[in-house]
Amino acid sequence: MKISVDQSKCCGSGMCVLTDPDLFDQNEEDGTVVLLQEHPDAEHEATAKEAAGLCPAAAITVS
Amino acid sequence: MTELISEELPITRQNPFDPPAEVTAIREQARISRLKFSDGHLGWLVTGHHQVREVLGSPKFSNDPRRHHLLDKRFQGEVPEDGRKSEPGMFLSQDPPDHTRLRKMLQGQFTVRRMNQLSEWIGKIVDDQLAHMRSLGGKADLVKEFAMPVPSLVICALLGVDYDERHRFQEDTAKMLSLEVSFKEAMAAFARIQEFMRELIARKKADPGDDMISDLIATGEPTDEEASNMALLLLLAGHETTANMLGIGTFTLLQHPDQLKILKDEPEVVDNAVEELMRYLSIIHFGPVRTAVEDVEIDGHLIKAGDTVLTHVPAANRDPDKFGDNPEELDLRRPASGHVAFGHGIHQCLGQQLARIEMRIGFSKLFAEFPDLRLDVDPEEVPLRTDMGIYGVHSLPVAW
Ligand code: SF4
């Protein structure tokens, strides 16, 4: 599994951090997403997908 | 395919917590249908959850009020063309790149981490307010003594607005959100709040404090006019929304004792309870509105450039396609995330993480401190905010 984020799309809603703080953070400056793990363990698969689905700006892709 | 056409948007609620039955009926026939706007424009009504997310998430739709056809009859013929332009800094009604630029200046202040850091402080505000409520004896209006003051105190302190000055904007805020005042009255109220904000920005420039407005000015990025309108937006949004969720959310829980019992017995349910209450209540009456800037196909319907679309959040949040067989029921244990009560897309609520924390702490502490809280009037006597853009209760008489 690979997660990618597109900071330029991100609107800083924080839904990803709320969904899985092990995978995502927000930068202090402008609140945009920071990816903490590009290739997380399988146990994070469900939450990674959920975060991608919840992201209001479609800034997260899981492949 | 014959298209369902509504001559007018149904807005009368038959039950206090449910969207209008006609809107639900429309959704069951067509997730996307046609709706006449007040100027005769044949636009669209989107009631399905998936479809609402698509519209709100698509860059092909604009949120610039100058593009929108008007839904509200009050404003028909009243609003001059340039009177509809969005004020500098009012990023809620702007499109990228302006929206992006302005929103980015604030996003860092509302991150999940920052909001979590405020938990203790918010907890203290809630405790104080509950102690105040108790000091009143055995009964009180929960809106006046709890639901309204908590978010007001929080947003005022965060922004650096003196809480004692709230009389200068609270009444005008209510006027702006009323569905019954004329366009002129609404604009006059807006102008008064703007004036208050302008003064505030000038004061903060001269004498900065440890608050969001001072931080925003210190970046040197926004113009004074932008800063004052951005602050106004935060003040407005921080004030009415969470207050109404706390008010009508408490009413709802008191009317659903089995669910309230879950919340009392299993405090850890509160995070999801907040999501479910948001879904179930969707405190915006209807909307938001968008206008297509190019042709776009949504769910097999061709929405043409220039067509205005009303998305219906309360209907979408009860869509069985998303929320299963019993979306009309309040169920604090259901997976409720994915609701669109905070909107969706680039305009999704900036303050949502703050709102969540206020609600989690607010509901938990309220029912821990007042386990015997009950309505002090018949439920039919609770005055509902059917006359306001943000739904809720005008007051909630309770006893303990
Ligand atoms: S959910 Fe999407 S928009 Fe929100 S912070 Fe995460 S990446 Fe950004």
Side-chain angles (χ1 to χ4, degrees):
Chain A
M1 176 181 39
K2 179 177 189 283
I3 307 178
S4 6
V5 295
D6 182 346
Q7 263 111 350
S8 71
K9 278 190 181 170
C10 171
C11 64
S13 69
M15 285 312 293
C16 53
V17 186
L18 199 66
T19 310
D20 194 335
D22 290 340
L23 302 184
F24 306 97
D25 197 359
Q26 285 168 285
N27 93 33
E28 285 282 313
E29 190 90 322
D30 63 6
T32 51
V33 58
V34 175
L35 183 60
L36 300 176
Q37 297 185 43
E38 200 178 330
H39 299 282
D41 303 343
E43 56 174 300
H44 285 289
E45 188 168 338
T47 49
K49 285 193 177 142
E50 194 188 346
L54 286 176
C55 174
I60 301 172
T61 28
V62 179
S63 53
Chain B
M1 178 171 146
T2 50
E3 276 175 338
L4 193 65
I5 297 182
S6 312
E7 291 295 319
E8 210 170 324
L9 180 74
I11 54 169
T12 308
R13 292 175 183 245
Q14 290 74 17
N15 295 307
F17 312 130
D18 299 337
E22 294 98 321
V23 178
T24 305
I26 291 171
R27 187 196 61 218
E28 290 320 302
Q29 284 186 63
R31 296 318 200 241
I32 299 187
S33 61
R34 309 295 315 243
L35 170 68
K36 273 223 178 105
F37 284 67
S38 66
D39 58 358
H41 170 68
L42 195 55
W44 301 85
L45 171 63
V46 183
T47 48
H49 178 270
H50 176 70
Q51 294 80 355
V52 164
R53 270 176 52 115
E54 259 199 70
V55 170
L56 296 179
S58 165
K60 293 182 181 170
F61 289 93
S62 162
N63 199 19
D64 182 338
R66 280 170 303 182
R67 293 186 193 258
H68 298 337
H69 288 268
L70 293 171
L71 182 72
D72 197 328
K73 284 215 179 70
R74 277 180 310 165
F75 296 165
Q76 197 54 49
E78 281 284 316
V79 192
E81 192 52 34
D82 70 341
R84 291 177 58 189
K85 74 173 186 336
S86 167
E87 303 274 322
M90 283 282 171
F91 57 95
L92 179 60
S93 47
Q94 289 170 350
D95 294 329
D98 277 340
H99 167 266
T100 322
R101 176 177 65 86
L102 294 162
R103 183 167 166 135
K104 278 211 164 151
M105 293 179 202
L106 295 168
Q107 274 169 195
Q109 312 250 21
F110 289 96
T111 61
V112 172
R113 190 171 337 114
R114 283 226 192 171
M115 294 302 113
N116 283 336
Q117 285 163 355
L118 299 178
S119 292
E120 220 173 288
W121 171 72
I122 292 173
K124 175 86 175 60
I125 288 177
V126 169
D127 286 340
D128 289 350
Q129 213 51 47
L130 291 173
H132 160 76
M133 204 166 107
R134 188 168 288 287
S135 76
L136 298 174
K139 50 173 75 179
D141 169 11
L142 183 110
V143 171
K144 180 161 171 265
E145 312 300 346
F146 179 70
M148 191 61 177
V150 166
S152 298
L153 282 158
V154 168
I155 197 68
C156 284
L158 286 178
L159 290 176
V161 173
D162 191 349
Y163 184 69
D164 294 334
E165 284 200 278
R166 66 193 180 282
H167 63 277
R168 287 197 55 192
F169 55 83
Q170 265 180 352
E171 207 178 299
D172 284 326
T173 309
K175 265 197 196 122
M176 279 180 61
L177 293 170
S178 166
L179 297 175
E180 288 178 349
V181 304
S182 71
F183 177 69
K184 278 202 184 74
E185 284 172 276
M187 287 324 280
F190 181 65
R192 282 191 296 270
I193 312 181
Q194 264 191 319
E195 179 54 33
F196 173 66
M197 279 309 185
R198 253 183 250 123
E199 284 172 30
L200 185 73
I201 297 292
R203 250 187 286 156
K204 298 267 169 208
K205 267 183 105 168
D207 182 18
D210 182 16
D211 57 66
M212 278 189 193
I213 297 182
S214 299
D215 288 355
L216 181 66
I217 300 171
T219 63
E221 286 181 64
T223 63
D224 288 0
E225 210 183 358
E226 282 175 342
S228 81
N229 284 323
M230 288 163 88
L232 190 157
L233 198 57
L234 296 181
L235 184 66
L236 275 186
H239 238 252
E240 287 277 328
T241 46
T242 311
N244 281 299
M245 268 308 299
L246 288 172
I248 197 169
T250 303
F251 182 25
T252 307
L253 289 166
L254 292 176
Q255 292 302 99
H256 292 82
D258 54 326
Q259 296 296 312
L260 180 54
K261 187 170 180 324
I262 297 176
L263 184 64
K264 285 182 188 165
D265 294 350
E266 304 160 41
E268 67 284 357
V269 114
V270 72
D271 288 7
N272 195 62
V274 165
E275 301 304 319
E276 171 65 354
L277 285 165
M278 298 258 341
R279 178 198 74 83
Y280 183 73
L281 294 166
S282 306
I283 53 157
I284 104 165
H285 247 320
F286 45 79
V289 172
R290 296 288 187 269
T291 298
V293 287
E294 54 183 283
D295 291 1
V296 46
E297 200 183 300
I298 305 265
D299 211 16
H301 297 266
L302 179 66
I303 298 178
K304 291 235 168 77
D307 286 0
T308 295
V309 175
L310 179 94
T311 64
H312 203 289
V313 161
N317 276 341
R318 300 283 185 100
D319 187 347
D321 287 351
K322 167 73 182 170
F323 297 104
D325 295 338
N326 60 350
E328 305 299 336
E329 275 170 37
L330 179 75
D331 172 2
L332 299 189
R333 292 198 181 106
R334 108 176 43 237
S337 70
H339 65 73
V340 285
F342 284 120
H344 187 70
I346 57 170
H347 292 284
Q348 196 183 56
C349 178
L350 176 69
Q352 59 178 289
Q353 307 303 349
L354 175 61
R356 281 194 169 93
I357 292 186
E358 290 181 353
M359 282 185 269
R360 285 173 193 163
I361 298 177
F363 287 125
S364 308
K365 286 193 183 262
L366 172 65
F367 289 108
E369 176 67 27
F370 294 97
D372 300 327
L373 197 75
R374 57 185 189 275
L375 272 187
D376 197 31
V377 290
D378 286 336
E380 304 78 51
E381 285 170 33
V382 173
L384 301 165
R385 291 171 47 112
T386 47
D387 53 341
M388 306 296 280
I390 308 278
Y391 188 59
V393 293
H394 282 296
S395 68
L396 190 69
V398 290
W400 55 86

